[in-house]
């Protein structure tokens, strides 16, 4: 795995009430990731970008919803998300505050 690939694996953090609760209680954070990324790549990417140690990764595929656009049926894209658990004593601050 080269660093260029690892920099592209994480697409965005998932910021919601559920992930905020997971971050506080279980030191677990959610990310939207590339559809072809595996657990090892996701763990290495988080360690590289946030300078933390990863304990475990859970990955799930989210199926795109079928939506109607006027008279036509359409479908949103499928995507993948990962929940990353950090080792005790490590933390990610998305707010960037002091």
């Amino acid at each position: 795995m080269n660093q260029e690939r690892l920099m592209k694996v994480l697409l965005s953090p998932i910021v919601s009430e559920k992930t905020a609760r997971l971050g506080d209680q279980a030191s677990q954070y959610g990310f939207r990731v590339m559809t072809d990324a595996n657990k090892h790549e996701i763990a290495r990417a988080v360690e590289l970008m946030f300078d933390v140690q990863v304990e475990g990764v859970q990955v799930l595929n989210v199926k795109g919803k079928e939506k109607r656009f006027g008279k036509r049926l359409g479908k949103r894209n499928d995507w993948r998300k990962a929940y990353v658990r950090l080792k005790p004593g490590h933390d990610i601050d998305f707010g960037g505050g002091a």
Side-chain angles (χ1 to χ4, degrees):
M1 287 180 277
N2 57 7
Q3 269 193 323
E4 196 171 316
R5 163 85 175 156
L6 292 177
M7 295 299 280
K8 295 178 184 178
V9 168
L10 300 179
L11 300 178
S12 65
I14 299 174
V15 181
S16 65
E17 289 181 16
K18 178 181 179 179
T19 57
R21 188 171 14 93
L22 284 173
D24 292 339
Q25 294 175 352
S27 188
Q28 201 169 13
Y29 300 90
F31 294 96
R32 189 174 184 150
V33 297
M34 293 174 58
T35 55
D36 62 343
N38 59 36
K39 290 183 179 186
H40 299 293
E41 288 178 332
I42 294 167
R44 294 274 312 270
V46 170
E47 289 175 351
L48 175 70
M49 295 186 75
F50 297 103
D51 195 31
V52 294
Q53 290 183 355
V54 174
E55 186 174 314
V57 178
Q58 294 176 319
V59 180
L60 55 124
N61 295 318
V62 180
K63 302 293 182 190
K65 293 181 179 181
E66 289 190 5
K67 292 290 196 172
R68 181 178 297 278
F69 299 104
K71 292 183 178 181
R72 298 191 174 137
L73 279 176
K75 183 178 178 292
R76 292 185 180 168
N77 293 333
D78 297 339
W79 58 287
R80 194 168 204 192
K81 66 179 169 180
Y83 290 108
V84 178
R85 181 183 304 268
L86 302 181
K87 290 189 176 178
H90 293 274
D91 190 29
I92 296 176
D93 182 23
F94 292 120

